[in-house]
Amino acid sequence: MRIEIARRLLELPRSSFATTIGRIDQLVAAGEDVVNLCQGNPDLPTPPHIVESLRSQALDPANHRYPSFSGLLELKDAVARWYAAHYRVELDPGSEVAILFGAKAGLVEISQCLLNPGDVCLMPDPAFPDYWAGVVLAKAHMHPLPLLRSNGYLPDYSALGPDVCERARLMFLNYPNNPVSATAPLEFYQDTVRFAAEHRVVVASDFAYGALGFDGEVPVSFLQADGAKDVGVEFISLSKMFNMAGWRIGAVVGNPEVIAAINLLQEHYYVSLPPFIQRAAITALTGPQDCVRELTSIYERRRDLFVDGVRQAGWDIDVPRSIFAWLPVPGGDSVAFAEELLERSKVAVAPGRWFGAHGEGFVRVSLLAPEERLREAVARLTDARVPQP
Ligand SMILES: Cc1ncc(COP(=O)(O)O)c(C=O)c1O
């Protein structure tokens, strides 16, 4: 029998990363030394006190049973306390916090919760490509919000036509940004709340990198803007904050109606997350935060090393405000540049075009690799003698 897959599934965007990772695996299997700076996968371990918490929670039979449906109230309370301590944002744990299988799951779910077929979703361009799948599943349309260097990589709402504003129901934002590594000031979020309220657009702020502020900067949370909770929600992730990417845990907070919709959808997919993971997440959020500061310093050193190196080699590069460097490519064809760099110099980076049309002309370089590997990458980029932009 020929199995027919539902059309909406066939319409899902394919991950461009899979092909490159396949090629990296081939090269490594053939004995090549590839410096892989393509993905944003933390290379350092989860802090021991969090792992120890998981170990002891896993031994407790109470954590072997089905957990309560929408996540442990103690964890929601820990998320609310984390927001109060870091951003002075007050949240009701019962109605304004939902627990997620990593921020990624929620970032797909929110489109399914809020978009009807034919609606418009305002999508930063470039953007983290995982946002796109939910919009496709909802049969809605994406309208780009170009992120331009000339505008500090912030969208310009005044450039949107009345028809788009009328049909827009959801908007994604992401600061500190992946891939361009920019941050956003509070005034931008105040403008965003005004725009969203005027046009009845729900804001989905992806704050997955919020805890890693470079050079003493504390990245602003969207929820710090007046009235933000009326118009939107914010996603946080423990993946980068505590090197817990493999644990799959995050949260979404803010507007209670959106939170209720996400909980409703999740009730049908899961019976919440494993309780021992949720309890270890409580330890992470409420325990000592020195590990986050130490991680940030490690990333700052890596960033400085990389930026100094490529600048010496002639690249005009902005100082990243997050864990990715956004490197302009000679000739402007990011896919061709990345392919050549991988084949000739054995350095893997992500072409900007994978993140949207406005990503073209750049490649994203992940700083989630030890200093010696970043040094090696700089040396190979310099030796590659590619013509400079
Ligand atoms: C911008 C952005 N948002 C969300 C995520 C996903 O976070 P999580 O691991 O919590 O699913 C990532 C992961 O790379 C990301 O880059």
Side-chain angles (χ1 to χ4, degrees), residues 102-104 107 128 131 174 178 206 208-209 237 239-240 248:
K104 176 181 160 58
L107 288 159
F128 178 51
Y131 306 147
N174 168 222
N178 172 13
D206 179 357
Y209 297 98
S237 165
S239 296
K240 309 289 156 71
R248 310 308 305 130

Side-chain angles (χ1 to χ4, degrees), residues 94-169:
S95 62
E96 295 179 337
V97 181
I99 305 303
L100 302 172
F101 267 90
K104 176 181 160 58
L107 288 159
V108 176
E109 288 161 2
I110 192 167
S111 295
Q112 292 169 279
C113 290
L114 300 179
L115 295 173
N116 285 310
D119 284 347
V120 165
C121 175
L122 300 175
M123 184 62 69
D125 182 356
F128 178 51
D130 292 41
Y131 306 147
W132 304 338
V135 184
V136 171
L137 289 173
K139 296 190 176 299
H141 303 292
M142 291 190 268
H143 185 89
L145 292 173
L147 304 187
L148 307 176
R149 195 183 192 190
S150 56
N151 204 31
Y153 295 110
L154 300 172
D156 175 7
Y157 302 129
S158 68
L160 294 170
D163 178 50
V164 169
C165 294
E166 175 64 24
R167 290 169 52 217
R169 284 286 157 269

Side-chain angles (χ1 to χ4, degrees), residues 44-61:
L44 294 167
T46 306
H49 70 284
I50 304 173
V51 179
E52 183 50 41
S53 166
L54 173 72
R55 202 184 67 83
S56 59
Q57 294 297 343
L59 293 173
D60 182 351

Side-chain angles (χ1 to χ4, degrees), residues 89 186 188-191 193 220-229:
V89 167
L186 184 59
F188 165 72
Y189 286 135
Q190 307 280 25
D191 288 347
V193 171
V220 177
S221 155
F222 164 68
L223 293 181
Q224 287 176 290
D226 298 331
K229 246 198 270 179

Side-chain angles (χ1 to χ4, degrees), residues 35-37 305-306 310 315 341 345-349 365-366 369 371-384:
V35 186
N36 185 356
L37 306 179
L305 175 164
F306 185 81
V310 293
W315 257 278
L341 193 66
S345 309
K346 309 293 180 286
V347 177
V349 295
V365 182
S366 162
E371 288 186 25
E372 63 274 15
R373 297 305 280 164
L374 289 171
R375 249 184 233 108
E376 180 62 29
V378 169
R380 293 188 198 182
L381 275 160
T382 309
D383 284 352

Side-chain angles (χ1 to χ4, degrees), residues 171-192:
M171 160 166 66
F172 284 90
L173 292 176
N174 168 222
Y175 298 97
N177 183 272
N178 172 13
V180 303
S181 258
T183 51
L186 184 59
E187 304 78 70
F188 165 72
Y189 286 135
Q190 307 280 25
D191 288 347
T192 299

